[in-house]
Amino acid sequence: VGGDALALSTARELSLLQGRRIVVLWPADLEFARAVEAVGAQFVAGRPDSRAGLEMAGVAEAVTILALSHNDQLNLQAALRARDANPRIRIVLRQFNRTLAAKIEQNLADCSVLSLAWHSAATYAAAALDPSCFRGLQFPEPNGPLTGFAVRTAADRLTDQRVAEAEHALGARIVAIDGATEISGDDVVPTGAELVVYGRLDRLLASTPRQSVPADRP
């Protein structure tokens, strides 16, 4: 359920999985429908908060409903009507209000409620501290320490070290080397390799790259 970029990108990611039928339910919109079909999903025109719309989308046979519109109330109504029509359906719900999201998740079985405000706030905070950080989150609990995925370049102190040794030096896990994610602790870090690392922000700050100052800046 959704009619924006989030719904479209989620449909694209799910369509990469084989053996799954992905349906996007949203009021008629020719341009959006074409975009949905282009990523390999099926567009069904209908009201997401109506029983008729959900039935046209195949709610009775669906494994999961992802209610991802920008309207919190619409998302909740669509999810509850889907659960009424299919008691076995799993619910993934987008909610802006972080407190309400936690309460819904506690009281609705087989349901995951995600607050974009929570996820985006963590990313903004992480990027403010580390200019190379592209995704932040509080982990492992919603109120846990701030962590992030960031980019590093294998400098002299990391070159030709094993991954396990480089991780110890960085205080973070190395999750990719030059785009490759199939790595082990015994692999050697090549000279000048681009690393994607994950760790707590307070530990990442020791190796945070500093952005160069533009020539025209005082």
Side-chain angles (χ1 to χ4, degrees):
V1 170
D4 59 7
L6 177 63
L8 184 62
S9 59
T10 303
R12 179 188 296 110
E13 295 297 326
L14 290 172
S15 295
L16 296 176
L17 302 174
Q18 301 298 318
R20 295 288 187 270
R21 174 173 172 256
I22 312 303
V23 177
V24 177
L25 174 62
W26 198 244
D29 182 328
L30 183 58
E31 184 178 352
F32 184 63
R34 288 172 176 168
V36 168
E37 299 288 344
V39 301
Q42 177 184 352
F43 181 83
V44 171
R47 285 180 50 199
D49 56 346
S50 70
R51 183 68 176 262
L54 290 166
E55 287 178 349
M56 286 191 297
V59 68
E61 297 81 29
V63 174
T64 306
I65 178 172
L66 296 91
L68 308 179
S69 83
H70 64 276
N71 186 321
D72 283 5
Q73 184 177 1
L74 175 65
N75 290 338
L76 184 57
Q77 289 175 343
L80 293 177
R81 284 192 168 89
R83 176 59 62 79
D84 286 340
N86 180 351
R88 301 177 305 279
I89 199 168
R90 171 162 172 72
I91 294 172
V92 178
L93 198 60
R94 172 185 178 181
Q95 293 284 292
F96 183 82
N97 187 310
R98 183 173 173 176
T99 302
L100 180 59
K103 291 182 178 180
I104 293 174
E105 195 171 58
Q106 290 171 0
N107 291 280
L108 197 57
D110 197 12
C111 174
S112 294
V113 186
L114 304 178
S115 168
L116 291 187
W118 168 31
H119 289 288
S120 60
T123 297
Y124 283 126
L129 297 171
D130 184 335
S132 76
C133 188
F134 57 90
R135 183 63 54 84
L137 69 155
Q138 289 178 271
F139 182 83
E141 300 295 335
N143 293 315
L146 182 61
T147 66
F149 291 89
V151 178
R152 296 288 184 271
T153 300
D156 292 339
R157 67 181 182 133
L158 301 179
T159 298
D160 297 329
Q161 287 191 356
R162 294 187 302 112
V163 167
E165 296 170 336
E167 288 179 337
H168 179 73
L170 289 168
R173 292 295 302 271
I174 296 175
V175 296
I177 300 176
D178 286 334
T181 57
E182 296 294 330
I183 57 178
S184 70
D186 291 326
D187 289 342
V188 175
V189 178
T191 302
E194 183 180 83
L195 313 176
V196 175
V197 301
Y198 172 76
R200 287 177 48 154
L201 258 293
D202 56 355
R203 296 174 183 171
L204 288 177
L205 291 180
S207 61
T208 297
R210 297 303 173 188
Q211 292 177 308
S212 59
V213 179
D216 60 349
R217 179 179 297 176

